[in-house]
Structure formats: C-alpha cells, structure tokens
Amino acid sequence: MFPRRALARRYTATALVLGLLSTPTSAAWAGDRHPAPSRGRPAVTRVPSTAGSSTPLAGYGVQSTAKVGDSASAVSSPGYPMAGWHPAGPHSTVLGALLDDGVYADPFHSTNLKEIARSDFQVPWWYRSDFTVEDTARRTFLDFSGVVSAADVYVNGRQVASAQDVTGAYTHHELDITSLVRSGTNTVAFRVRPNDPDKDLTMGWLDWLQPPPDRNMGIVRDVLVRRSGPVALRDAHVTGRLAVPSLATADLTVKARARNDSGAAVTAEISGSVAGTAFSRTVPLAAHETKTVTFSPADVSGLHLDSPKVWWPAGMGGQPLYDLDLTAGVAGATSDTAHQRFGIRDVQAPLNSDGARQYLINGRRLLVKGGGWSPDEFLRWDRGYAEDRLRYAVDLGLNTIRLEGHLEPDEFFDLADRYGVLTLPGWECCDKWEGEVNPSGSGQKWTEADHVVAKASMAAEAARLRGHPSVLSFLIGSDAAPNAAIEKDYLDALGAADWTAPVVPAASENSSPRLGRSGMKMTGPYDWVPPGYWYAKREGGATGFNSETSAGPSIPTLDTLRRMMTPAELDTLWKDPGARQYHRSPSSVFGTLKIYDDALAARYGSPTGLTDYVRKAQLAQYENVRAQFEAYGRGATDPDRPATGVIHWMFNSGWTSLHWQLTDRYLDQNGSYFGAKKANEPLHVQYSYDNRSVVVVNNRTAPERDLTVRATLFDPDGTPRYDRTVNGVAVNGDGAHTAPLTLPSSVSGPARTHLLRLVLTDADGTEVSRNVYWLSTEPDTLDWNGTTWYYTPTTHSADLSGLASMARVQVSATATTTSSGGTSTTTVTVRHASDGSTPALLTDVHLVDAQGRPVLPVRWSDNEVSLWPGESATLTATYRTADLHGSAPGVRVSGWNTPERTVPAR
C-alpha cells in the first residue's frame, strides 16, 4: 500500500446511490451490528436432491481445539454434542462468531479490542456443520474457497482433505464426498489453522487499523453442497467482443467443462440459452473424461448480437445484464445445470504518451475517481451494509472502488454490477503476497508450495470475477510487482480462465518483465497536505494515475466520536496532538494526529474545546477532499501530463477510525464526504488553487451551452470585494472543462481571509452548481524538497483565522416527511434568517430520531451549504423508514457560525 522507498520504516520499532435507498436486503442495517446466529446448535442445512442444486451451509458451531479433547473422527460425526460451542454464520471468522455471541465487549469502542487475548487464537479451531440428504443416488461435492489460513476437512468421521492442500484464502476446492454421504444427517467439519499474513497467502490489515487478535482465521465465504448426476458442468462462462466505438454488435462465446464423474462412458446433451438464443450439442464422454464445450457465433448465429445492451459505469449509461443458462442431460434426465450473469462492455487501458495508465470503457475515456475499500474488520459479510456503502459511492460521484486484497464474496461484485461501480481488485502489499519481491516488507520468502498456492489463487479469482462487468482490471502487484516466475504463473492462470480485462503489474510505479510499466504511481500523500498541493503536477498531484492518496486524517462527526471513544480519550483528542491515538493506526508513522492538528491550529486557530476541534476539522476535510477530486477532474483533459485516475485512500474504514475515510464505520457523513460529493457533481463550477482560475467541468455526456458563471469575493463579515459575471459559457462533455474567468491576485480591504462564492446557472437561469471557498491572502507554502513518502511539509500556512470573527447568525429550518414502500423522504428548507451581511458558512443538516441520534444511512441531495442573508436552500434526505425504529424524524441544523437547533420533520 505504500511506496517501495518507504517500507523499511513501516516494519521497524523506531520508524515506522443511485436513486432512492431501497428497503433493506439483510435482516438489519449493520452500521455497528451484524445479525447474530441463533443460540445453541447451528441450523441443519437441508440439501435437496435436485440435479444442479448448490446449497450453502447455513452456519457452524465453532470451538477451540484447546477445549475439545475428542478425536477428529468423533467431532466430525453426526450426533456429536456441542455443549459450550459458539454459533457462527455461514461465513465467519472465529472472532466474528465470538463477537456475535456476546463473548467480548464492543471492539469498536475505546481500547476494548486490545483486551482480547491473542493467545486464544494461536491454536486451530473447529468449524462443524450438519446437513441432511434424502437421495444418495446423486453425486455430492463440497465446493468452497475463503479458508483463512488452512484447514483439515472431515466428513462423517473421515478426513477428505488436509491443510497442506486446503490452504490460502483465495484457493478454490471441490471435494467429491459422494461415497461418504448417507441418507439423513451428515456432518462436515473444518479444523482451521491460525493465520499469519506474513507466512500465509491470505489477508492482513497492514497499517489500516488495529489488527484483529484472531488475524481473521476462519471460513469467510460460503461452503456449498453441490448435487449432480453422472455428468457435471463446471467453469461455465461467456466471453464477449464488443464492436468499439460503434457498439453496434457483440460476439459472444460460451464455454463450459463437461465432466463425466462416472466409471462408464456416457453421452451428454449440453444445451443452453443466452440473449434469447438456444443451442445444444451432443458430447460423448469416456469414463472420468472431461471436455471443454464451446459455442461461438461460427456455429450459433444467434451469438452474434446486433444492438447489444451495453453495460456502463454509473453516470455514463445503464447497467443491463445478460443470463447464461446451461444444462447437461444424460439419458433424457437432467444431470447438472449452470448459470452465469454477465455484462457486455469493453475495457482498454493503454499507457498514454506520459506513461500513465489511461482507461477506456466502451471506447470512451474514463477518469477513474475512486476510493479504497475496507471490509468489516472481522470479515463479517452483510449484504445490506455493503449495498449501503456502494450506494454512497454512487452518491459521491465516484465510479471505482479499489480492493487491495480482502476480495469480497460474490455478492459484492453482483452489487457492483447492479450499481455501476467499477472495481479494481488485486493482491495486497507488503506481507506474504510480496514476500518474494519486496525486501522492505514483512512477508516471508516463498517456498515452492507458495508458488502453487499463488497460481491457484489467481486461477480461482479469475474464474470468479471474469464475468462481472464491474471488474475494471486486476492488479497482480501492489507496492511491488511480481518477478518473472510469479508473473508467468499469474498470467498463465488468467489466460487459462479467458480473462479479458486489463492486467496491471503493480499499483506503484514498478514494472514486471512481460507486462512492463504499471502506468500508476504511489507517491502519496497519506498525511495532511494543504488543498493547493493537489494542483501541482508532481508527487501526488493531479497528473497520471494515483492508486492511493489522501490528506490522511478524517475526523468523524461528534456523534460518531462519542460512540467510539471515552470522555477521557475525547479530551486527549483535542488537547494533545502528540498523543498516540489507538483509533488511528498501529503504525508509528501514523500513530498520532500531530501533523494534522498542527496544520489545523496554524490555519484556523487553536481549538478551544472538543466541539471547536471537530468544527474546524470538518472545514479542513471538506476543503481538502474537494480540492483533491477537483484538481484531478480539471486535469483530466489537460494536454500536458493529464490526470487519468485517483483513488482516495480510503473510501471507508473497517472499524471506528480517525483517518482514511470518506464515510465512517456507522455510515455517518462528515466534511470529507460532502467535499467529495461537491467536487464530483455532474456539472460543476470550481476554483483553482494554483492559478486562481474559475473552471466549469462537465462530467455529463452531452456538451452544455449558454451557461452563466458568477464569482463573488467577500470579507468574512459579508462585505463584497469583487464580483464578476460571465455569460454564454460553453463546455464539452465527458470531463471537458473551460475557464471563463480568473480572480485578481488581490482585492481591497484589510481582511486576510475571504469567502469565494461561485454560482453556475443554465440557460433558463436555474442554479446547477454552487461552490463556496474560504481563501487566504497568505497562501500555504510547501517544502517540496522535504517531501517524504507520506507527505510534503508546509513551511508557511494560509491564514484562515478570520473565519473565527464571523458573527453568529440564525438559520431557520422547516421540514416535512413522506413515506412510501419502506422508504421515507424528508424535505428540509434552510434559510438565512438573521439581519446583517454575514453569511452562514457550511450549514450542516443531520436527520435524527426522537433521541437525537443520527438516522443512517441517508442520501442527501446536498449538504453543508453556505447561505448569504435572505438566501435559502431546499435539501432532501432519503432513507429507510425502518431506520427510524418507530420514532418521529427530526432535523438538527448547525454550522460554522450557526447555533445548533433541532426541528421536527413530520
């Protein structure tokens, strides 16, 4: 995750939504909770006899081997008593199960996580589950991946696989258990071994958060029981070739492996349909023979599509999907079935003339705007929670999520396809995955067995992800690129899987022997820099493709802070910049907030209390995240070293954090969130910190004409100092920009802090974008020569202390709520209700319940708005009615210079 030059410091002791929110898709929104399994024995899974059925185990009982004295044969036999065992969900780490069972206090609060003994997880743990089968005539298989780190597998008292074979979080396994299955109750048991990310090709947390004491040992994906007849269908998939740029036609090729699992020769009828076209073929198979069956436009004319339904990222078009259905029949009876949902799209990623990776989707240039994804720290999968976060990504105007390791279950990619969120999956840095090629990392060198596991992992993930149109690329390296041997294994596995998306050797500037240059940079920053930093075409500034970068800390709202920290910890938070912050990072580099806090005090003035600290933090985060995305947006069509992509590090955190997040653990939205949302508006007016130009960026497809831009500079008390309007502004689409005016280098008056209000209106006079900046006559000065791998020092700070002199002003609010079909919409009108000339800066509106608690998740049309005297703004909040928990909604209004008040929203 960090540049190669920095890694030596990290591992030593000394230095180191699219549309409306829908009704819930899971049992409960899991902002700070996950649906717990039922107490006692886990549910018994009923496995049907239907050929082609694929049934996930419903859950497990888990227990430490230190507390189980019985033999593996006894533990894995039906009827074994599980007194004292803990229930676990269908995919759960050990600690995740124990947390859901109430064994430990809330790990997201204070330092509770530190109190969990690591020694409890240094021995294997049993996972045990029962399933029932009525018909033993079918063949039965266990199909799974997601074992962290390795497991011995038993069925009905017999070992069917050893940990030597079932190893690695991403390897896929299919075990034939037909001979062991009996009518009635059957038992499967996994003896899961402890995980060590530096020794095992699994997953770790680097410096993202305080690592879980169990290091995520467990089973984190579904274990399926599959039934079939004599012939099984495997590896069914569709590859497509889309005509670009016309998009007029697409050629589809269907492939699957037909495997005869019987000891006699058979003739199978392989039939299927896709895109309204049916096809079939007779395939003779010798005993235990496997053949690849292919259907292409050469033999099935209907697989040549005219006017195909093309999949687009959100904001560029729709997200239509197709379905492939296959059946293998033997002697007139169904033997197996297969299904795949896929999308038709074309992705190219050439290097531009500057050597930067430039993505093209369906022939159109794409500026990647994304964030780094974190799963739940304990890898507890909750579809509803994942869906809420992906809706947030769309709401923010992002088009991409990067997954550095922690490759989520299939449902995640199904959701990404549905919402039009592109994904950049890849292997993680610095631990065992880079142990062979990253001398500055902590990962151990590879053995021959590790090479086998790595190639098998690549093959399994390629087969799992290839049909998802949301998958933009696969990064086979992160901080380091693979060497020739590892690269060959990866590329061979990808080729064998018919992988069609681009493959990138690293998220850093490193190269690999066959793929060559990555076209990406990993130059930071990861800690605070001023907003003007992003406009420089150097380091992490807006040029090329920056695979992970941000200004570091992102202080949550007061609501979240009070949930995650004790009063004493909150006191230290604002009083002591040099204090170690448990909720920041285990890294010695990122253990404190000193760089951030020093900048906050230098630019805005020293905090006078917790509320003042958080208030100033929201302004700082809003201006900085906005500048990051605005700079890359403006630079996307530059003729000189254009910006091609930026991944905000990170999109979210897996626990309660003080850094690297656009949305917090509980899905509350702070200044970082709304700064990103403002910057990524479809049609947007913005200020340039480097040359004072006012720029209109058009992220819509079509060009815009007859726009009007107005720029007004004010003193903090509202005294106007400059006002200019430009009419007849035109700008092309697909990220083009134009600069209709430039602000003067100075204005009259003694103020050293100014407010800049930008307003963009269309030909009808309707306001389509409003943007407010707080600027200083004394700019931030950067020490570029002092740049480290994680930030560039500031030698002189902008003076924004004039904001402290702004008079308190009243903002009135009225709100009404309507509800339908499980969704509620609250409409809020906020109005500057005070006399005088002082504006209301960064007015925040929070939806709350009767107890004053935030109602989350919520999608705001806009928020953190600034109002001048007499101005008003109407905002809408859309959310699930159930998240009110029967309470009447209210609206809490506050701001930089606005007293807090709450009004009803019935």
Side-chain angles (χ1 to χ4, degrees):
M1 131 168 200
F2 284 95
R4 188 185 189 97
R5 65 176 186 257
L7 290 175
R9 308 180 212 183
R10 298 178 59 214
Y11 297 100
T12 64
T14 55
L16 197 68
V17 184
L18 189 59
L20 300 180
L21 292 168
S22 65
T23 53
T25 54
S26 60
W29 167 67
D32 60 345
R33 62 192 184 278
H34 291 260
S38 58
R39 294 292 186 260
R41 296 179 70 91
V44 176
T45 305
R46 180 184 175 276
V47 175
S49 300
T50 309
S53 64
S54 183
T55 308
L57 295 178
Y60 305 90
V62 301
Q63 185 56 279
S64 169
T65 58
K67 297 182 179 181
V68 177
D70 297 312
S71 67
S73 177
V75 171
S76 61
S77 293
Y80 178 79
M82 290 193 291
W85 286 47
H86 305 276
H91 23 68
S92 173
T93 63
V94 171
L95 185 51
L98 299 182
L99 289 169
D100 287 343
D101 201 28
V103 175
Y104 302 111
D106 178 10
F108 297 120
H109 179 71
S110 187
T111 57
N112 288 347
L113 189 65
K114 190 187 295 186
E115 307 306 314
I116 300 174
R118 295 178 183 270
S119 58
D120 291 346
F121 311 104
Q122 293 174 357
V123 298
W125 278 65
W126 280 110
Y127 277 64
R128 187 186 183 284
S129 186
D130 291 334
F131 64 93
T132 61
V133 169
E134 294 180 2
D135 178 9
T136 59
R138 299 286 186 197
R139 302 200 67 83
T140 307
F141 303 87
L142 283 182
D143 187 303
F144 59 91
S145 63
V147 175
V148 183
S149 68
D152 303 298
V153 187
Y154 298 82
V155 172
N156 291 344
R158 297 278 300 277
Q159 185 170 359
V160 294
S162 73
Q164 184 176 354
D165 299 313
V166 179
T167 183
Y170 302 106
T171 54
H172 173 250
H173 307 276
E174 184 181 38
L175 306 178
D176 188 341
I177 59 172
T178 304
S179 64
L180 299 176
V181 170
R182 60 197 187 194
S183 180
T185 301
N186 297 266
T187 299
V188 58
F190 294 80
R191 185 166 54 198
V192 178
R193 297 192 180 184
N195 181 41
D196 185 341
D198 289 332
K199 298 178 181 178
D200 305 310
L201 289 167
T202 54
M203 56 186 75
W205 288 98
L206 310 170
D207 46 11
W208 299 8
L209 44 72
Q210 300 293 346
D214 72 338
R215 307 182 95 170
N216 292 139
M217 68 181 298
I219 301 175
V220 298
R221 293 181 184 171
D222 283 329
V223 174
L224 305 174
V225 182
R226 303 183 68 170
R227 310 297 304 280
S228 63
V231 172
L233 286 174
R234 296 294 184 263
D235 200 34
H237 62 283
V238 178
T239 60
R241 187 172 70 251
L242 178 65
V244 175
S246 72
L247 312 185
T249 63
D251 288 329
L252 306 182
T253 298
V254 177
K255 285 187 179 181
R257 286 186 288 112
R259 185 183 69 205
N260 182 5
D261 289 321
S262 74
V266 298
T267 297
E269 182 74 17
I270 310 299
S271 59
S273 65
V274 65
T277 294
F279 44 84
S280 65
R281 180 173 303 146
T282 298
V283 180
L285 293 166
H288 303 296
E289 182 182 16
T290 298
K291 288 182 179 178
T292 297
V293 184
T294 302
F295 301 92
S296 71
D299 48 79
V300 181
S301 60
L303 295 179
H304 174 82
L305 306 185
D306 292 317
S307 302
K309 295 180 289 185
V310 177
W311 188 96
W312 291 94
M316 296 181 73
Q319 292 79 45
L321 297 171
Y322 287 85
D323 290 283
L324 165 69
D325 288 290
L326 286 178
T327 299
V330 176
T334 298
S335 180
D336 203 1
T337 62
H339 173 82
Q340 186 201 25
R341 178 159 288 182
F342 65 97
I344 296 175
R345 59 93 178 94
D346 178 83
V347 177
Q348 302 297 323
L351 300 181
N352 66 15
S353 59
D354 301 311
R357 187 74 57 178
Q358 174 64 74
Y359 282 91
L360 304 168
I361 187 153
N362 302 329
R364 287 168 58 184
R365 184 188 57 81
L366 176 74
L367 171 65
V368 170
K369 296 183 292 184
W373 180 268
S374 174
D376 171 70
E377 176 171 3
F378 311 106
L379 304 186
R380 296 172 294 183
W381 170 252
D382 185 301
R383 177 188 171 93
Y385 186 44
E387 190 168 8
D388 288 336
R389 286 178 288 165
L390 287 172
R391 286 197 186 102
Y392 269 12
V394 175
D395 181 52
L396 288 173
L398 304 182
N399 55 31
T400 304
I401 289 295
R402 181 182 167 209
L403 298 95
E404 183 188 355
H406 301 94
L407 304 184
E408 293 277 40
D410 294 346
E411 288 175 287
F412 172 86
F413 294 95
D414 292 340
L415 289 169
D417 293 344
R418 174 183 169 190
Y419 286 104
V421 179
L422 295 165
T423 61
L424 276 174
W427 307 127
E428 66 192 46
C429 91
C430 313
D431 55 21
K432 185 57 177 277
W433 284 101
E434 293 187 348
E436 194 67 14
V437 294
N438 192 336
S440 299
S442 58
Q444 293 185 358
K445 292 288 187 180
W446 286 19
T447 65
E448 285 303 313
D450 292 322
H451 284 269
V452 174
V453 171
K455 184 174 183 179
S457 300
M458 186 74 264
E461 288 304 295
R464 189 172 75 97
L465 300 180
R466 66 192 163 198
H468 290 282
S470 59
V471 176
L472 187 65
S473 264
F474 199 97
L475 279 65
I476 57 173
S478 181
D479 289 32
N483 61 24
I486 298 172
E487 180 190 41
K488 181 181 186 303
D489 282 345
Y490 286 158
L491 294 181
D492 286 351
L494 287 160
D498 293 327
W499 183 267
T500 59
V503 181
V504 178
S508 66
E509 297 168 278
N510 287 305
S511 304
S512 63
R514 283 171 57 182
L515 293 175
R517 297 178 60 179
S518 71
M520 294 188 175
K521 65 179 182 178
M522 195 184 283
T523 49
Y526 300 94
D527 213 323
W528 191 86
V529 291
Y533 170 98
W534 302 105
Y535 283 85
K537 287 187 180 291
R538 58 178 298 175
E539 307 297 339
T543 181
F545 194 117
N546 198 337
S547 68
E548 47 182 63
T549 186
S550 77
S554 180
I555 305 301
T557 62
L558 268 173
D559 296 293
T560 291
L561 285 171
R562 287 170 174 152
R563 292 177 74 175
M564 64 187 267
M565 301 172 79
T566 66
E569 290 166 342
L570 291 174
D571 233 23
T572 301
L573 177 65
W574 74 269
K575 287 180 177 178
D576 187 356
R580 292 286 301 181
Q581 293 293 342
Y582 186 72
H583 284 267
R584 186 158 190 215
S585 171
S587 160
S588 59
V589 174
F590 301 117
T592 76
L593 291 164
K594 183 169 176 53
I595 294 172
Y596 176 84
D597 287 352
D598 287 352
L600 207 65
R603 300 174 89 242
Y604 289 99
S606 298
T608 58
L610 177 64
T611 300
D612 186 54
Y613 175 78
V614 176
R615 181 178 72 126
K616 288 171 176 171
Q618 302 319 310
L619 254 69
Q621 290 156 195
Y622 187 103
E623 67 166 347
N624 211 306
V625 174
R626 175 179 60 182
Q628 178 182 342
F629 282 108
E630 285 182 338
Y632 273 83
R634 191 197 74 175
T637 53
D638 281 356
D640 174 41
R641 290 176 295 160
T644 62
V646 60
I647 301 294
H648 185 278
W649 203 251
M650 298 177 66
F651 174 71
N652 68 300
S653 178
W655 83 322
T656 41
S657 178
L658 296 171
H659 75 166
W660 295 346
Q661 57 191 354
L662 295 176
T663 178
D664 68 33
R665 170 66 205 174
Y666 305 119
L667 301 185
D668 207 352
Q669 302 150 321
N670 65 0
S672 299
Y673 185 98
F674 291 112
K677 181 176 172 69
K678 176 57 63 176
N680 294 317
E681 291 176 319
L683 187 59
H684 179 63
V685 62
Q686 64 186 58
Y687 168 75
S688 304
Y689 283 86
D690 58 340
N691 60 17
R692 305 185 313 280
S693 63
V694 174
V695 173
V696 177
V697 178
N698 182 14
N699 291 308
R700 297 172 176 172
T701 303
E704 296 288 340
R705 301 286 184 266
D706 296 323
L707 302 172
T708 298
V709 175
R710 184 180 181 187
T712 313
L713 274 169
F714 301 87
D715 289 350
D717 65 2
T719 301
R721 295 296 181 181
Y722 171 86
D723 191 8
R724 185 180 173 194
T725 299
V726 178
N727 299 308
V729 177
V731 58
N732 291 327
D734 278 344
H737 72 268
T738 187
L741 66 97
T742 299
L743 298 184
S745 58
S746 63
V747 294
S748 61
R752 291 180 295 177
T753 305
H754 294 96
L755 298 175
L756 169 64
R757 182 182 66 193
L758 302 177
V759 178
L760 179 68
T761 53
D762 63 16
D764 298 325
T766 302
E767 184 176 300
V768 291
S769 177
R770 167 183 286 234
N771 212 346
V772 175
Y773 295 79
W774 34 104
L775 304 173
S776 172
T777 58
E778 300 180 24
D780 296 290
T781 304
L782 288 156
D783 176 15
W784 291 107
N785 291 331
T787 297
T788 69
W789 61 271
Y790 60 96
Y791 89 120
T792 297
T794 301
T795 56
H796 182 78
S797 295
D799 183 1
L800 299 171
S801 60
L803 299 179
S805 67
M806 294 178 69
R808 303 278 277 176
V809 298
Q810 294 293 327
V811 173
S812 66
T814 58
T816 58
T817 298
T818 59
S819 300
S820 177
T823 297
S824 291
T825 299
T826 295
T827 302
V828 185
T829 298
V830 288
R831 182 180 300 275
H832 189 304
S834 294
D835 296 329
S837 59
T838 303
L841 181 62
L842 218 67
T843 302
D844 178 85
V845 185
H846 252 71
L847 187 75
V848 296
D849 63 15
Q851 287 73 46
R853 299 171 301 196
V855 177
L856 300 167
V858 60
R859 177 184 178 271
W860 286 97
S861 59
D862 196 6
N863 210 324
E864 299 197 347
V865 296
S866 297
L867 303 170
W868 268 252
E871 288 186 335
S872 65
T874 298
L875 317 174
T876 58
T878 308
Y879 52 98
R880 290 188 292 260
T881 306
D883 288 333
L884 285 168
H885 303 293
S887 170
V891 170
R892 185 178 68 207
V893 180
S894 61
W896 173 258
N897 58 325
T898 301
E900 182 181 302
R901 62 182 305 195
T902 301
V903 300
R906 294 183 177 86

